[in-house]
């Protein structure tokens, strides 16, 4: 019986020991796999200066409300940020009032034309009647002259009568000539006055037609339309122009930037200004399109620092990078980052920046293995916001991205575990 009891206790102890060993191994395996890790990479390492910025357009065209056109109410407007082609209609204003005015002006023009035509016809009739009357007066003068020339054959009384008749006929002729001149001057004055009325009516018609033609605004170039704020309700309540808004002559309703002239404008800190220069390669990433990386080249740098309107104020330089290739999804004022490549290290060993820690004032990484994590001292060659180029690591190794706790490391963990024992 004693032997059986001893065997039972021995079996229980062996089972417990095996369970403890299995739990310890499981904890070690879990400790080795619980923390996030990254693989040591070998390849080209880019030394960069990162700055924030936004897309800008070098060239843009403003679309303004037409001048000298009253009652500019928007009845149709191209959608905000929509693509338009050169010559497309982008804005339509309400034409109902202008069309009604055109009908009234055309009616007035037709009336003025009819009045002028009537005056010209009446002047012609009067001129013809005056011509006939003048001809009759001239005939009477000639007849009277003939009677006077026969005075030698007539008596004294008849000769005097003939002279009187001649004078009377000449006076009538002169009076008729004056009447003709008066009628001609009057007809000319009336015709000129009616012609001016007609010209004014024609001008009003042409002006109204011109206003009508300006109530359809077309795009001067291909690009994307960006509606501008409407400040008619005050600066605090300004919102982009929309259908139904009343515009004023000359108001900037929209802007069409030339997408072919897009560039990245970045803010470079003073400490980084001396590291970069025009001609450096850049990589551009946009917040709204994180999957897109746009290569480019730094075109120019501002010579003077600009102060920000934030508090406390800061000073920064402006860097402008041209894109090597455009994308139809790009829009002005998109925010993003610009990495200016300062140097390139070939065949460099690099790890994520999160994988480098400091111990006793020296840089280290934690190498991951099946038994835990082992601190390993390294030499830093270069840094950028995402990666660190190192010396003293083998490519393909696994390093942790967070610093392990002391009881999870090995061989340091071994010492602590022994102390616990």
């Amino acid at each position: 019986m004693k032997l059986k009891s001893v065997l039972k206790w021995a079996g229980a102890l062996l089972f417990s020991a095996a369970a403890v060993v299995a739990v310890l191994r499981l904890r070690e395996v879990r400790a080795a796999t619980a923390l996030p890790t990254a693989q040591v990479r070998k390849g080209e390492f880019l030394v960069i200066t990162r700055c924030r910025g936004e897309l800008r357009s070098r060239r843009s065209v403003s679309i303004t409300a037409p001048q000298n056109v009253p009652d500019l109410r928007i009845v149709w407007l191209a959608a905000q940020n929509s693509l338009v082609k050169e010559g497309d209609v982008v804005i339509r204003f309400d034409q109902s009032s202008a069309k009604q005015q055109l009908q009234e002006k055309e009616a007035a023009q037709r009336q003025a034309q009819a009045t002028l035509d009537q005056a010209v016809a009446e002047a012609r009739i009067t001129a013809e009647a005056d011509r006939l009357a003048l001809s009759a007066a001239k005939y009477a003068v000639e007849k009277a002259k003939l009677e006077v020339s026969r005075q030698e054959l007539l008596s004294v009384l008849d000769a005097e009568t003939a002279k009187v008749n001649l004078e009377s006929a000449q006076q009538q002729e002169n009076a008729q000539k004056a009447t003709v001149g008066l009628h001609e001057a009057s007809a000319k004055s009336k015709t000129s006055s009616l012609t001016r009325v007609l010209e004014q009516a024609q001008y009003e018609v042409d002006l109204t037609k011109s206003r009508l033609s300006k109530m359809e605004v077309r795009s001067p170039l291909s690009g994307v339309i960006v509606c501008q704020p409407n400040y008619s309700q005050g600066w605090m309540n300004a919102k982009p122009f929309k259908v139904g808004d009343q515009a004023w002559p000359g108001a900037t309703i929209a802007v069409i930037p030339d997408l072919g002239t897009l560039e990245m404008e970045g803010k470079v800190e003073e400490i980084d200004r001396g590291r970069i220069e025009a001609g450096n390669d850049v990589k551009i990433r946009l917040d709204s399109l994180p999957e897109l990386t746009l290569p480019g080249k730094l075109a120019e740098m501002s010579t003077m620092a600009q102060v920000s309107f934030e508090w406390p104020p800061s000073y920064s330089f402006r860097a402008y990078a041209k894109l090597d290739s455009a994308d139809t999804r790009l829009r002005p004022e998109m925010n993003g980052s610009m990495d200016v490549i300062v140097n390139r290290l070939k065949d460099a060993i690099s790890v994520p920046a999160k994988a480098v820690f400091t111990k006793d004032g020296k840089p280290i990484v934690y190498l991951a293995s099946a038994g835990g994590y082992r601190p390993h001292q390294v030499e830093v060659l270069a840094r950028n916001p995402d990666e660190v180029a190192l010396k003293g690591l083998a490519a393909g190794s696994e390093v942790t991205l967070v610093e392990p706790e002391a009881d999870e490391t090995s061989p340091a963990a071994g010492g602590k575990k022994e102390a616990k024992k």
Side-chain angles (χ1 to χ4, degrees):
M1 293 292 292
K2 281 186 176 182
L3 181 60
K4 287 184 178 181
S5 298
V6 170
L7 291 175
K8 286 182 179 180
W9 280 105
L13 288 173
L14 289 174
F15 181 76
S16 299
V20 170
V21 171
V23 169
L24 291 176
R25 287 183 177 178
L26 180 61
R27 287 183 61 187
E28 290 181 354
V29 172
R30 284 181 177 176
T33 57
L35 299 181
T37 62
Q39 193 174 50
V40 178
R41 184 181 69 87
K42 182 177 182 180
E44 185 181 48
F45 182 85
L46 302 179
V47 183
I48 65 173
T49 294
R50 178 166 295 172
C51 56
R52 293 289 299 175
E54 61 182 12
L55 288 178
R56 297 288 188 185
S57 176
R58 279 278 183 176
R59 174 175 176 259
S60 60
V61 178
S62 298
I63 298 179
T64 59
Q67 297 282 358
N68 195 25
V69 179
D71 194 19
L72 293 172
R73 185 173 296 279
I74 301 174
V75 296
W76 184 84
L77 180 63
Q80 176 81 309
N81 294 323
S82 62
L83 289 172
V84 295
K85 295 181 180 179
E86 182 177 355
D88 288 351
V89 176
V90 293
I91 303 174
R92 286 194 181 97
F93 296 99
D94 185 11
Q95 300 180 354
S96 57
S97 177
K99 288 181 177 179
Q100 182 178 357
Q101 290 179 5
L102 178 60
Q103 293 177 353
E104 295 174 355
K105 301 298 183 183
E106 287 178 338
Q109 186 263 346
R110 289 193 297 269
Q111 180 63 37
Q113 182 67 57
T115 303
L116 176 61
D117 293 342
Q118 181 179 0
V120 170
E122 290 176 352
R124 288 177 180 175
I125 294 173
T126 302
E128 183 65 22
D130 290 341
R131 186 183 66 80
L132 293 175
L134 182 59
S135 298
K138 287 181 177 181
Y139 174 77
V141 170
E142 294 299 327
K143 183 179 180 181
K145 287 180 179 180
L146 181 61
E147 290 295 329
V148 171
S149 65
R150 297 171 55 198
Q151 62 181 345
E152 297 178 354
L153 303 176
L154 299 175
S155 63
V156 176
L157 180 61
D158 292 337
E160 290 299 327
T161 303
K163 288 180 180 181
V164 171
N165 291 337
L166 175 60
E167 291 176 0
S168 176
Q170 288 176 340
Q171 289 176 358
Q172 289 182 1
E173 180 184 12
N174 293 333
Q176 187 60 43
K177 286 181 179 180
T179 302
V180 170
L182 178 62
H183 287 170
E184 287 180 352
S186 177
K188 185 177 180 181
S189 176
K190 186 176 181 180
T191 303
S192 299
S193 177
L194 293 175
T195 301
R196 287 193 295 271
V197 172
L198 176 61
E199 291 174 350
Q200 180 64 29
Q202 185 64 51
Y203 170 77
E204 295 290 341
V205 170
D206 295 339
L207 178 61
T208 308
K209 287 182 177 179
S210 175
R211 289 174 175 175
L212 272 172
S213 65
K214 293 177 181 178
M215 287 185 172
E216 273 195 355
V217 183
R218 298 182 180 273
S219 174
L221 76 162
S222 298
V224 59
I225 185 169
V226 181
C227 296
Q228 298 299 291
N230 181 2
Y231 296 106
S232 60
Q233 301 299 322
W235 290 82
M236 300 298 294
N237 301 320
K239 295 181 180 179
F241 277 98
K242 62 184 184 302
V243 173
D245 284 356
Q246 185 79 27
W248 59 94
T252 301
I253 297 177
V255 173
I256 300 181
D258 186 356
L259 297 181
T261 63
L262 283 179
E263 62 183 13
M264 189 71 173
E265 178 184 350
K267 298 180 181 179
V268 180
E269 300 297 331
E270 290 183 280
I271 192 173
D272 296 325
R273 175 62 179 87
R275 301 179 59 199
I276 64 178
E277 60 183 4
N280 289 145
D281 293 331
V282 299
K283 289 186 176 181
I284 298 170
R285 296 180 179 86
L286 302 173
D287 298 341
S288 57
L289 300 171
E291 74 284 359
L292 187 64
T293 300
L294 299 169
K297 193 171 290 292
L298 197 64
E300 60 179 299
M301 289 281 299
S302 64
T303 55
M304 300 289 292
Q306 299 182 17
V307 63
S308 68
F309 294 99
E310 304 170 352
W311 185 260
S314 61
Y315 292 85
S316 60
F317 294 85
R318 296 296 184 266
Y320 302 91
K322 291 184 177 180
L323 307 180
D324 291 344
S325 59
D327 191 287
T328 56
R329 294 173 292 176
L330 301 184
R331 296 292 183 273
E333 300 184 3
M334 278 186 170
N335 295 319
S337 62
M338 179 171 65
D339 294 341
V340 183
I341 301 174
V342 180
N343 192 14
R344 299 175 185 267
L345 302 179
K346 296 183 178 180
D347 298 328
I349 300 296
S350 62
V351 297
K354 295 180 179 179
V356 181
F357 308 95
T358 302
K359 185 177 182 181
D360 298 330
K362 297 180 180 180
I364 64 168
V365 296
Y366 288 95
L367 294 173
S369 62
Y373 308 104
R374 178 171 57 87
H376 181 75
Q377 185 175 335
V378 293
E379 179 184 351
V380 176
L381 300 179
R383 292 177 180 270
N384 66 34
D386 299 322
E387 292 183 306
V388 179
L390 303 173
K391 186 178 181 181
L393 276 181
S397 304
E398 293 286 334
V399 294
T400 65
L401 298 179
V402 295
E403 189 172 11
E405 295 180 2
D407 60 352
E408 294 179 350
T409 60
S410 179
K416 190 166 184 177
K417 290 176 183 178
E418 288 177 3
K420 287 182 179 180
K421 291 180 182 179

